[in-house]
């Protein structure tokens, strides 16, 4: 019997994986394949933190598949070359995969489909990475959505949880197919090994993702609506890298959270708020799917006239967490150390870069792309453009986060800043979020000299805000 190739991409799981389940159910021998494709046109190469995650995740996937008797074949190169090769070598007559929606990946997949069909090979692609396909949701005028709230309303009323696909029990293994050794791909950093903090922070892989979801449903989701904005608490799910790599799918999250909504005490907002945030992920993909230019360009062309500043030194201070604004520095250091940053702090840090420093959102997006373990093209560009004001349904440019007030509100006792900016940890609460306002005895009592032990603020926020607003006026009335 001819075999079927299951092409894994961002669906690195055995449970609820439509392509894998269908292949196994067909009774044909299954050849699981992952292609490290860094060469296809316009497909963005992975950032450093993503490469680290991918290595761990593939190891875990290979172990999971091995427990069912399947052996994961690893190949490197343009997918359009690799797939026909693997098909030939394994005598496959069918290739299946779960869809990715980024414009370059979708275009590549379409070409691959044509090539395989021309060679007499069947293909089938499945949904599974989003709650709904980008083209399944449209406005009454049959247009894509540009505003989140009506998108969410439509998704909420039309979403139907699909049938659950169990992990395959005893699939028929396909013929042994030569592949690469994971270690030879060099996805892990060597010298210097910067991944210590990532290893300490994360358990990677499907089993860890399932545990994290179960723990969050048990312990965290009830307070999610209240705590999700607090970086000093473990208020959010931290499922983002697992969702990005498909170690868990959004339907699994929905199935776990939705039944709690009715059971919630009146006024509770946890599970419903979680589903709404999950829909932001769909919305970002929807936007990028219909506006592919937004990966590199402003969604709103008016922003092409915005007078951004080229300032490599300011950018480096921001990247390294040396802006002199403790909440921004805490976020940037959390990011560097763990590969993740709390959503509220992502918004504050991104606002600081684009508005206080007037540095183009593309520089921030590129840094996040390299350092986030959940780096996701659609979510990253959509959120950067949301913060900078250049996106669809964006925060208006003139809403400029005050980093001190934000910190006082969302990190009220300073636990988050103290954790990530330990050099100022001994400052009293009153001065912690604005050390430049601390009386001299508070500074000396905490053993700090500003400018030596911790930077003075790079910019004065009030003046920076005025500068940003006049840059915005310049853009609007050139
Ligand atoms: P939870 O609050 O537990 O939310 C559950 C899930 O919903 C998340 O795992 C995520 O998949 C989704 N989600 C939540 N908020 C958003 C959002 N605003 N947009 C899209 N999806 C969301 N998220 C990424 O996954 N990858 C990125 O590259 C990314 N870049 C960002 C850049 C900036 C400047 C900003 C402001 C936000 C960015 N986000 C990104 C969105 C958000 O910060 C993260 O998804 C969230 O912090 C992940 O933590 P969590 O899993 O605990 O989220």
């Amino acid at each position: 019997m001819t075999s079927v190739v299951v092409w894994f991409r961002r669906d690195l799981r055995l449970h609820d994986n439509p392509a894998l389940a269908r292949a196994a159910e067909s009774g044909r021998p299954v050849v699981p394949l992952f292609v490290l494709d860094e060469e296809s046109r316009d497909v963005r190469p992975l950032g450093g933190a993503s490469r680290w995650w991918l290595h761990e995740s593939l190891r875990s996937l290979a172990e999971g598949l091995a427990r069912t008797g399947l052996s994961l074949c690893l190949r490197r190169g343009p997918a359009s070359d690799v797939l026909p090769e693997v098909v030939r070598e394994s005598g496959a007559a069918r290739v299946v995969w779960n869809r990715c929606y980024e414009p370059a990946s979708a275009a590549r997949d379409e070409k691959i489909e044509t090539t395989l069909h021309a060679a007499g090979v069947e293909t089938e692609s499945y949904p599974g990475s989003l709650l709904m396909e980008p083209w399944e949701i449209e406005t009454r005028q049959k247009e894509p959505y540009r505003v989140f709230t009506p998108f969410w309303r439509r998704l909420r009323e039309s979403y139907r949880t699909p049938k659950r696909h169990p992990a395959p029990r005893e699939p028929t293994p396909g013929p042994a197919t030569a592949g690469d050794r994971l270690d030879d791909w060099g996805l892990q950093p060597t010298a210097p090994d910067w991944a210590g903090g990532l290893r300490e922070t994360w358990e990677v892989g499907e089993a860890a993702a399932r545990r994290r979801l179960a723990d969050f449903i048990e312990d965290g989701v009830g307070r999610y609506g209240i705590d999700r904005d607090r970086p000093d608490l473990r208020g959010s799910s931290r499922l983002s890298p697992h969702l990005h790599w498909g170690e868990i799918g959004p339907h699994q999250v929905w199935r776990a959270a939705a039944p709690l909504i009715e059971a919630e005490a009146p006024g509770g907002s946890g599970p419903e708020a979680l589903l709404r945030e999950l829909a932001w992920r769909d919305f970002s993909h929807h936007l990028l799917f219909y506006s592919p230019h937004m990966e590199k360009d402003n969604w709103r062309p008016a922003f092409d006239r915005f007078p951004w500043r080229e300032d490599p030194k300011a950018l480096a201070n921001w990247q390294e967490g040396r802006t002199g604004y403790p909440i921004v520095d805490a976020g940037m250091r959390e990011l560097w150390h763990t590969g993740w940053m709390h959503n509220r702090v992502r918004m504050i840090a991104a606002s600081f870069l684009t508005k206080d420093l007037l540095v183009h959102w593309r520089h921030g997006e590129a840094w996040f792309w390299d350092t986030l373990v959940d780096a996701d093209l659609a979510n990253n560009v959509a959120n950067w453009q949301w913060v900078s004001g250049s996106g669809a349904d964006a925060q208006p440019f003139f809403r400029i986060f005050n980093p001190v007030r934000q910190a006082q509100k969302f990190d009220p006792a300073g636990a988050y800043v103290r954790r990530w900016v330990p050099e100022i940890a001994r400052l009293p609460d009153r001065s912690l979020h604005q050390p430049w306002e601390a009386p001299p005895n508070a500074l000396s009592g905490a053993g700090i000299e500003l400018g030596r032990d911790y930077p003075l603020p790079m910019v004065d926020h009030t003046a920076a805000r005025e500068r940003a607003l006049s840059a915005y006026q310049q853009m609007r009335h050139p």
Side-chain angles (χ1 to χ4, degrees):
M1 199 191 298
T2 53
S3 48
V4 50
V5 173
V6 179
W7 179 20
F8 281 91
R9 297 115 65 84
R10 290 223 310 276
D11 49 355
L12 307 182
R13 63 180 182 274
L14 275 75
H15 291 83
D16 214 35
N17 181 326
L20 176 65
R22 293 286 171 77
E25 281 158 22
S26 73
R28 297 188 196 201
V30 175
V31 178
L33 169 72
F34 183 88
V35 184
L36 182 62
D37 181 356
E38 297 181 298
E39 293 162 58
S40 283
R41 192 152 165 255
D42 296 336
V43 172
R44 238 207 236 193
L46 296 174
S50 296
R51 291 167 72 82
W52 174 82
W53 189 284
L54 177 62
H55 179 104
E56 299 293 326
S57 194
L58 285 174
R59 190 168 55 194
S60 151
L61 177 70
E63 286 167 9
L65 287 167
R67 281 194 288 276
T68 72
L70 298 180
S71 164
L72 178 64
C73 174
L74 299 175
R75 292 286 182 95
R76 183 175 206 158
S80 53
D81 294 348
V82 172
L83 276 153
E85 276 165 26
V86 172
V87 162
R88 250 191 327 274
E89 291 166 29
S90 60
R94 188 173 165 79
V95 181
V96 295
W97 62 80
N98 298 310
R99 284 175 214 127
C100 292
Y101 306 90
E102 291 83 357
S105 312
R108 176 199 62 186
D109 297 351
E110 232 179 277
K111 276 200 193 142
I112 291 174
E113 240 174 355
T114 313
T115 315
L116 292 173
H117 290 172
V121 179
E122 289 170 22
T123 64
E124 186 82 54
S125 68
Y126 299 92
S129 304
L130 295 177
L131 293 167
M132 289 180 70
E133 301 296 272
W135 51 88
E136 282 177 345
I137 298 200
E138 51 182 21
T139 64
R140 290 195 206 299
Q141 291 71 37
K142 308 239 167 278
E143 290 191 347
Y145 277 95
R146 292 158 179 204
V147 180
F148 175 73
T149 305
F151 173 90
W152 164 234
R153 238 183 274 126
R154 174 54 60 88
L155 188 149
R156 189 74 178 89
E157 69 198 21
S158 25
Y159 176 77
R160 300 283 171 273
T161 324
K163 172 177 153 273
R164 194 190 302 262
H165 297 282
R169 284 265 177 99
E170 288 177 343
T172 316
T177 313
D180 300 342
R181 282 183 53 238
L182 182 56
D183 287 340
D184 294 342
W185 279 359
L187 296 173
Q188 299 268 7
T190 44
D193 173 10
W194 44 258
L198 274 60
R199 280 192 290 273
E200 267 167 34
T201 310
W202 298 99
E203 267 189 84
V204 180
E206 181 175 14
R210 288 165 66 82
R211 265 198 309 278
R212 190 171 280 268
L213 173 61
D215 290 351
F216 186 66
I217 292 294
E218 169 105 16
D219 270 351
V221 76
R223 292 192 52 82
Y224 177 76
I226 303 157
D227 289 349
R228 55 178 285 267
D229 260 329
R230 293 278 301 270
D232 55 336
L233 307 174
R234 277 190 83 92
S236 71
S237 71
R238 301 189 186 218
L239 282 168
S240 50
H242 302 291
L243 278 163
H244 171 75
W245 286 109
E247 295 170 356
I248 199 142
H251 301 304
Q252 291 168 287
V253 179
W254 191 289
R255 276 192 211 104
L260 303 179
I261 292 172
E262 282 179 17
E264 238 189 345
S269 59
E272 182 71 24
L274 180 68
L275 300 186
R276 195 171 191 276
E277 288 311 303
L278 206 55
W280 271 103
R281 183 174 170 273
D282 269 50
F283 184 58
S284 301
H285 281 82
H286 183 83
L287 287 176
L288 183 64
F289 183 81
Y290 284 111
S291 307
H293 72 283
M294 74 184 278
E295 176 185 348
K296 294 187 188 126
D297 298 326
N298 298 306
W299 192 90
R300 290 171 195 271
F303 273 77
D304 296 351
R305 292 192 302 270
F306 192 85
W308 301 110
R309 292 167 58 246
E310 271 307 317
D311 188 342
K313 191 158 174 279
L315 177 63
N317 283 342
W318 176 82
Q319 290 170 333
E320 291 161 20
R322 288 189 285 107
T323 66
Y325 282 89
I327 190 77
V328 176
D329 294 341
M332 299 310 293
R333 296 181 195 187
E334 177 182 34
L335 172 61
W336 180 252
H337 188 76
T338 69
W340 186 87
M341 194 199 297
H342 188 278
N343 180 57
R344 170 61 46 181
V345 192
R346 290 187 204 203
M347 293 196 285
I348 300 169
S351 174
F352 189 81
L353 184 74
T354 53
K355 296 179 179 175
D356 289 60
L357 301 181
L358 294 183
V359 171
H360 201 299
W361 61 261
R362 268 191 220 120
H363 292 298
E365 194 268 322
W367 182 250
F368 273 29
W369 179 259
D370 196 27
T371 51
L372 277 172
V373 287
D374 65 23
D376 179 280
L377 194 62
N379 281 350
N380 207 27
V381 293
N383 276 285
W384 272 97
Q385 296 220 41
W386 183 88
V387 175
S388 69
S390 64
D393 192 15
Q395 159 155 277
F397 183 89
F398 52 80
R399 294 245 169 83
I400 298 178
F401 280 120
N402 178 322
V404 174
R405 271 201 242 123
Q406 288 281 314
Q408 288 165 339
K409 184 164 176 198
F410 295 110
D411 184 25
Y416 178 72
V417 160
R418 287 195 170 90
R419 169 156 190 220
W420 293 109
V421 192
E423 62 270 36
I424 57 169
R426 289 166 59 210
L427 280 176
D429 290 359
R430 202 168 348 102
S431 313
L432 184 72
H433 294 308
Q434 42 186 344
W436 60 93
E437 296 283 348
N441 61 347
L443 287 168
S444 58
I448 296 167
E449 188 185 315
L450 285 182
R452 184 195 67 187
D453 305 307
Y454 182 69
L456 283 155
M458 286 174 72
V459 285
D460 168 63
H461 175 69
T462 310
R465 184 172 180 281
E466 289 308 314
R467 180 175 68 166
L469 291 175
S470 66
Y472 181 58
Q473 286 312 325
Q474 195 181 321
M475 175 192 99
R476 295 186 66 206
H477 309 289

PDB file of all heavy atoms in Angstrom, residues 213-237:
ATOM      1  N   LEU A 213      -2.024  24.135  30.209  1.00  0.00           N
ATOM      2  CA  LEU A 213      -3.436  24.481  29.998  1.00  0.00           C
ATOM      3  C   LEU A 213      -4.276  23.944  31.161  1.00  0.00           C
ATOM      4  O   LEU A 213      -5.094  24.668  31.738  1.00  0.00           O
ATOM      5  CB  LEU A 213      -3.943  23.908  28.663  1.00  0.00           C
ATOM      6  CG  LEU A 213      -5.439  24.070  28.407  1.00  0.00           C
ATOM      7  CD1 LEU A 213      -5.840  25.551  28.367  1.00  0.00           C
ATOM      8  CD2 LEU A 213      -5.871  23.386  27.095  1.00  0.00           C
ATOM      9  N   ALA A 214      -4.040  22.687  31.539  1.00  0.00           N
ATOM     10  CA  ALA A 214      -4.847  22.093  32.619  1.00  0.00           C
ATOM     11  C   ALA A 214      -4.637  22.879  33.919  1.00  0.00           C
ATOM     12  O   ALA A 214      -5.602  23.197  34.633  1.00  0.00           O
ATOM     13  CB  ALA A 214      -4.461  20.627  32.799  1.00  0.00           C
ATOM     14  N   ASP A 215      -3.390  23.240  34.208  1.00  0.00           N
ATOM     15  CA  ASP A 215      -3.113  24.003  35.443  1.00  0.00           C
ATOM     16  C   ASP A 215      -3.804  25.361  35.404  1.00  0.00           C
ATOM     17  O   ASP A 215      -4.345  25.831  36.396  1.00  0.00           O
ATOM     18  CB  ASP A 215      -1.606  24.236  35.615  1.00  0.00           C
ATOM     19  CG  ASP A 215      -0.882  22.938  35.956  1.00  0.00           C
ATOM     20  OD1 ASP A 215      -1.570  21.927  36.223  1.00  0.00           O
ATOM     21  OD2 ASP A 215       0.375  22.923  35.925  1.00  0.00           O
ATOM     22  N   PHE A 216      -3.743  26.000  34.239  1.00  0.00           N
ATOM     23  CA  PHE A 216      -4.323  27.329  34.140  1.00  0.00           C
ATOM     24  C   PHE A 216      -5.847  27.273  34.285  1.00  0.00           C
ATOM     25  O   PHE A 216      -6.457  28.125  34.942  1.00  0.00           O
ATOM     26  CB  PHE A 216      -3.920  27.981  32.808  1.00  0.00           C
ATOM     27  CG  PHE A 216      -4.359  29.413  32.711  1.00  0.00           C
ATOM     28  CD1 PHE A 216      -3.814  30.374  33.555  1.00  0.00           C
ATOM     29  CD2 PHE A 216      -5.336  29.801  31.808  1.00  0.00           C
ATOM     30  CE1 PHE A 216      -4.236  31.703  33.495  1.00  0.00           C
ATOM     31  CE2 PHE A 216      -5.756  31.126  31.739  1.00  0.00           C
ATOM     32  CZ  PHE A 216      -5.207  32.069  32.577  1.00  0.00           C
ATOM     33  N   ILE A 217      -6.435  26.250  33.699  1.00  0.00           N
ATOM     34  CA  ILE A 217      -7.894  26.106  33.802  1.00  0.00           C
ATOM     35  C   ILE A 217      -8.279  25.844  35.261  1.00  0.00           C
ATOM     36  O   ILE A 217      -9.237  26.380  35.798  1.00  0.00           O
ATOM     37  CB  ILE A 217      -8.390  24.965  32.876  1.00  0.00           C
ATOM     38  CG1 ILE A 217      -8.202  25.356  31.404  1.00  0.00           C
ATOM     39  CG2 ILE A 217      -9.826  24.563  33.166  1.00  0.00           C
ATOM     40  CD1 ILE A 217      -9.045  26.521  30.931  1.00  0.00           C
ATOM     41  N   GLU A 218      -7.469  25.091  35.927  1.00  0.00           N
ATOM     42  CA  GLU A 218      -7.741  24.731  37.324  1.00  0.00           C
ATOM     43  C   GLU A 218      -7.514  25.924  38.259  1.00  0.00           C
ATOM     44  O   GLU A 218      -8.319  26.228  39.109  1.00  0.00           O
ATOM     45  CB  GLU A 218      -6.800  23.566  37.677  1.00  0.00           C
ATOM     46  CG  GLU A 218      -6.708  23.195  39.121  1.00  0.00           C
ATOM     47  CD  GLU A 218      -7.467  21.914  39.388  1.00  0.00           C
ATOM     48  OE1 GLU A 218      -7.785  21.208  38.418  1.00  0.00           O
ATOM     49  OE2 GLU A 218      -7.729  21.652  40.574  1.00  0.00           O
ATOM     50  N   ASP A 219      -6.399  26.629  38.014  1.00  0.00           N
ATOM     51  CA  ASP A 219      -5.944  27.603  39.019  1.00  0.00           C
ATOM     52  C   ASP A 219      -5.982  29.059  38.608  1.00  0.00           C
ATOM     53  O   ASP A 219      -5.994  29.937  39.461  1.00  0.00           O
ATOM     54  CB  ASP A 219      -4.463  27.320  39.342  1.00  0.00           C
ATOM     55  CG  ASP A 219      -4.337  26.364  40.478  1.00  0.00           C
ATOM     56  OD1 ASP A 219      -5.371  26.092  41.085  1.00  0.00           O
ATOM     57  OD2 ASP A 219      -3.216  25.895  40.728  1.00  0.00           O
ATOM     58  N   GLY A 220      -5.877  29.351  37.303  1.00  0.00           N
ATOM     59  CA  GLY A 220      -5.646  30.745  36.920  1.00  0.00           C
ATOM     60  C   GLY A 220      -6.804  31.413  36.218  1.00  0.00           C
ATOM     61  O   GLY A 220      -7.021  32.618  36.361  1.00  0.00           O
ATOM     62  N   VAL A 221      -7.572  30.634  35.455  1.00  0.00           N
ATOM     63  CA  VAL A 221      -8.502  31.288  34.541  1.00  0.00           C
ATOM     64  C   VAL A 221      -9.619  32.031  35.271  1.00  0.00           C
ATOM     65  O   VAL A 221     -10.116  33.047  34.790  1.00  0.00           O
ATOM     66  CB  VAL A 221      -9.053  30.275  33.507  1.00  0.00           C
ATOM     67  CG1 VAL A 221     -10.102  29.365  34.107  1.00  0.00           C
ATOM     68  CG2 VAL A 221      -9.585  30.979  32.275  1.00  0.00           C
ATOM     69  N   GLY A 222      -9.962  31.575  36.464  1.00  0.00           N
ATOM     70  CA  GLY A 222     -11.030  32.226  37.230  1.00  0.00           C
ATOM     71  C   GLY A 222     -10.708  33.693  37.493  1.00  0.00           C
ATOM     72  O   GLY A 222     -11.601  34.538  37.525  1.00  0.00           O
ATOM     73  N   ARG A 223      -9.425  34.011  37.688  1.00  0.00           N
ATOM     74  CA  ARG A 223      -9.044  35.401  37.995  1.00  0.00           C
ATOM     75  C   ARG A 223      -8.448  36.119  36.784  1.00  0.00           C
ATOM     76  O   ARG A 223      -7.953  37.237  36.880  1.00  0.00           O
ATOM     77  CB  ARG A 223      -8.018  35.406  39.145  1.00  0.00           C
ATOM     78  CG  ARG A 223      -8.596  34.964  40.477  1.00  0.00           C
ATOM     79  CD  ARG A 223      -7.649  35.273  41.612  1.00  0.00           C
ATOM     80  NE  ARG A 223      -7.211  36.654  41.629  1.00  0.00           N
ATOM     81  CZ  ARG A 223      -7.902  37.669  42.144  1.00  0.00           C
ATOM     82  NH1 ARG A 223      -9.072  37.470  42.680  1.00  0.00           N
ATOM     83  NH2 ARG A 223      -7.412  38.892  42.116  1.00  0.00           N
ATOM     84  N   TYR A 224      -8.471  35.428  35.642  1.00  0.00           N
ATOM     85  CA  TYR A 224      -7.787  35.970  34.461  1.00  0.00           C
ATOM     86  C   TYR A 224      -8.278  37.369  34.086  1.00  0.00           C
ATOM     87  O   TYR A 224      -7.480  38.260  33.777  1.00  0.00           O
ATOM     88  CB  TYR A 224      -7.974  35.002  33.287  1.00  0.00           C
ATOM     89  CG  TYR A 224      -7.376  35.457  31.977  1.00  0.00           C
ATOM     90  CD1 TYR A 224      -6.006  35.387  31.756  1.00  0.00           C
ATOM     91  CD2 TYR A 224      -8.193  35.969  30.959  1.00  0.00           C
ATOM     92  CE1 TYR A 224      -5.465  35.806  30.545  1.00  0.00           C
ATOM     93  CE2 TYR A 224      -7.655  36.375  29.760  1.00  0.00           C
ATOM     94  CZ  TYR A 224      -6.296  36.297  29.553  1.00  0.00           C
ATOM     95  OH  TYR A 224      -5.768  36.709  28.360  1.00  0.00           O
ATOM     96  N   GLY A 225      -9.607  37.561  34.129  1.00  0.00           N
ATOM     97  CA  GLY A 225     -10.158  38.860  33.746  1.00  0.00           C
ATOM     98  C   GLY A 225      -9.609  39.989  34.608  1.00  0.00           C
ATOM     99  O   GLY A 225      -9.478  41.124  34.159  1.00  0.00           O
ATOM    100  N   ILE A 226      -9.255  39.674  35.855  1.00  0.00           N
ATOM    101  CA  ILE A 226      -8.783  40.710  36.784  1.00  0.00           C
ATOM    102  C   ILE A 226      -7.245  40.783  36.762  1.00  0.00           C
ATOM    103  O   ILE A 226      -6.662  41.850  36.760  1.00  0.00           O
ATOM    104  CB  ILE A 226      -9.244  40.355  38.228  1.00  0.00           C
ATOM    105  CG1 ILE A 226     -10.764  40.210  38.244  1.00  0.00           C
ATOM    106  CG2 ILE A 226      -8.790  41.400  39.233  1.00  0.00           C
ATOM    107  CD1 ILE A 226     -11.257  39.353  39.399  1.00  0.00           C
ATOM    108  N   ASP A 227      -6.618  39.628  36.713  1.00  0.00           N
ATOM    109  CA  ASP A 227      -5.156  39.600  36.911  1.00  0.00           C
ATOM    110  C   ASP A 227      -4.333  39.660  35.627  1.00  0.00           C
ATOM    111  O   ASP A 227      -3.120  39.790  35.676  1.00  0.00           O
ATOM    112  CB  ASP A 227      -4.751  38.306  37.648  1.00  0.00           C
ATOM    113  CG  ASP A 227      -5.193  38.312  39.097  1.00  0.00           C
ATOM    114  OD1 ASP A 227      -5.616  39.384  39.575  1.00  0.00           O
ATOM    115  OD2 ASP A 227      -5.123  37.248  39.745  1.00  0.00           O
ATOM    116  N   ARG A 228      -4.977  39.528  34.466  1.00  0.00           N
ATOM    117  CA  ARG A 228      -4.192  39.359  33.246  1.00  0.00           C
ATOM    118  C   ARG A 228      -3.303  40.547  32.912  1.00  0.00           C
ATOM    119  O   ARG A 228      -2.324  40.424  32.198  1.00  0.00           O
ATOM    120  CB  ARG A 228      -5.101  39.046  32.060  1.00  0.00           C
ATOM    121  CG  ARG A 228      -6.195  40.038  31.815  1.00  0.00           C
ATOM    122  CD  ARG A 228      -6.991  39.659  30.588  1.00  0.00           C
ATOM    123  NE  ARG A 228      -6.220  39.964  29.406  1.00  0.00           N
ATOM    124  CZ  ARG A 228      -6.305  41.103  28.733  1.00  0.00           C
ATOM    125  NH1 ARG A 228      -7.152  42.039  29.121  1.00  0.00           N
ATOM    126  NH2 ARG A 228      -5.559  41.316  27.682  1.00  0.00           N
ATOM    127  N   ASP A 229      -3.637  41.716  33.475  1.00  0.00           N
ATOM    128  CA  ASP A 229      -2.843  42.914  33.177  1.00  0.00           C
ATOM    129  C   ASP A 229      -1.713  43.141  34.162  1.00  0.00           C
ATOM    130  O   ASP A 229      -1.019  44.152  34.081  1.00  0.00           O
ATOM    131  CB  ASP A 229      -3.776  44.138  33.208  1.00  0.00           C
ATOM    132  CG  ASP A 229      -4.185  44.552  31.806  1.00  0.00           C
ATOM    133  OD1 ASP A 229      -3.378  44.344  30.889  1.00  0.00           O
ATOM    134  OD2 ASP A 229      -5.305  45.063  31.647  1.00  0.00           O
ATOM    135  N   ARG A 230      -1.535  42.217  35.088  1.00  0.00           N
ATOM    136  CA  ARG A 230      -0.565  42.442  36.170  1.00  0.00           C
ATOM    137  C   ARG A 230       0.703  41.617  35.956  1.00  0.00           C
ATOM    138  O   ARG A 230       0.722  40.400  36.182  1.00  0.00           O
ATOM    139  CB  ARG A 230      -1.221  42.045  37.498  1.00  0.00           C
ATOM    140  CG  ARG A 230      -2.373  42.949  37.923  1.00  0.00           C
ATOM    141  CD  ARG A 230      -1.883  44.210  38.596  1.00  0.00           C
ATOM    142  NE  ARG A 230      -1.097  43.898  39.762  1.00  0.00           N
ATOM    143  CZ  ARG A 230      -1.566  43.756  40.992  1.00  0.00           C
ATOM    144  NH1 ARG A 230      -2.855  43.923  41.211  1.00  0.00           N
ATOM    145  NH2 ARG A 230      -0.759  43.457  42.005  1.00  0.00           N
ATOM    146  N   PRO A 231       1.787  42.284  35.553  1.00  0.00           N
ATOM    147  CA  PRO A 231       3.024  41.528  35.331  1.00  0.00           C
ATOM    148  C   PRO A 231       3.643  40.976  36.612  1.00  0.00           C
ATOM    149  O   PRO A 231       4.504  40.092  36.559  1.00  0.00           O
ATOM    150  CB  PRO A 231       3.954  42.558  34.679  1.00  0.00           C
ATOM    151  CG  PRO A 231       3.418  43.884  35.079  1.00  0.00           C
ATOM    152  CD  PRO A 231       1.938  43.704  35.244  1.00  0.00           C
ATOM    153  N   ASP A 232       3.203  41.512  37.758  1.00  0.00           N
ATOM    154  CA  ASP A 232       3.771  41.033  39.023  1.00  0.00           C
ATOM    155  C   ASP A 232       3.086  39.750  39.484  1.00  0.00           C
ATOM    156  O   ASP A 232       3.538  39.125  40.442  1.00  0.00           O
ATOM    157  CB  ASP A 232       3.654  42.115  40.119  1.00  0.00           C
ATOM    158  CG  ASP A 232       2.209  42.608  40.299  1.00  0.00           C
ATOM    159  OD1 ASP A 232       1.404  42.485  39.346  1.00  0.00           O
ATOM    160  OD2 ASP A 232       1.883  43.098  41.388  1.00  0.00           O
ATOM    161  N   LEU A 233       1.992  39.362  38.830  1.00  0.00           N
ATOM    162  CA  LEU A 233       1.291  38.130  39.215  1.00  0.00           C
ATOM    163  C   LEU A 233       1.397  37.139  38.060  1.00  0.00           C
ATOM    164  O   LEU A 233       1.641  37.537  36.938  1.00  0.00           O
ATOM    165  CB  LEU A 233      -0.198  38.431  39.460  1.00  0.00           C
ATOM    166  CG  LEU A 233      -0.517  39.554  40.433  1.00  0.00           C
ATOM    167  CD1 LEU A 233      -2.027  39.825  40.437  1.00  0.00           C
ATOM    168  CD2 LEU A 233      -0.050  39.181  41.829  1.00  0.00           C
ATOM    169  N   ARG A 234       1.152  35.885  38.336  1.00  0.00           N
ATOM    170  CA  ARG A 234       1.091  34.943  37.196  1.00  0.00           C
ATOM    171  C   ARG A 234      -0.348  34.909  36.692  1.00  0.00           C
ATOM    172  O   ARG A 234      -1.059  33.925  36.845  1.00  0.00           O
ATOM    173  CB  ARG A 234       1.564  33.563  37.636  1.00  0.00           C
ATOM    174  CG  ARG A 234       3.070  33.425  37.618  1.00  0.00           C
ATOM    175  CD  ARG A 234       3.485  31.993  37.810  1.00  0.00           C
ATOM    176  NE  ARG A 234       3.451  31.242  36.575  1.00  0.00           N
ATOM    177  CZ  ARG A 234       4.475  31.085  35.756  1.00  0.00           C
ATOM    178  NH1 ARG A 234       5.620  31.640  36.035  1.00  0.00           N
ATOM    179  NH2 ARG A 234       4.354  30.366  34.672  1.00  0.00           N
ATOM    180  N   GLY A 235      -0.755  36.025  36.094  1.00  0.00           N
ATOM    181  CA  GLY A 235      -2.174  36.204  35.793  1.00  0.00           C
ATOM    182  C   GLY A 235      -2.609  35.698  34.437  1.00  0.00           C
ATOM    183  O   GLY A 235      -3.788  35.555  34.184  1.00  0.00           O
ATOM    184  N   SER A 236      -1.641  35.431  33.536  1.00  0.00           N
ATOM    185  CA  SER A 236      -2.050  34.977  32.196  1.00  0.00           C
ATOM    186  C   SER A 236      -1.559  33.545  31.988  1.00  0.00           C
ATOM    187  O   SER A 236      -0.826  32.991  32.802  1.00  0.00           O
ATOM    188  CB  SER A 236      -1.508  35.931  31.129  1.00  0.00           C
ATOM    189  OG  SER A 236      -0.122  35.798  31.004  1.00  0.00           O
ATOM    190  N   SER A 237      -1.959  32.952  30.874  1.00  0.00           N
ATOM    191  CA  SER A 237      -1.761  31.503  30.715  1.00  0.00           C
ATOM    192  C   SER A 237      -0.332  31.085  30.336  1.00  0.00           C
ATOM    193  O   SER A 237       0.065  29.972  30.569  1.00  0.00           O
ATOM    194  CB  SER A 237      -2.701  30.981  29.623  1.00  0.00           C
ATOM    195  OG  SER A 237      -2.263  31.443  28.346  1.00  0.00           O
TER     196      SER A 237
END
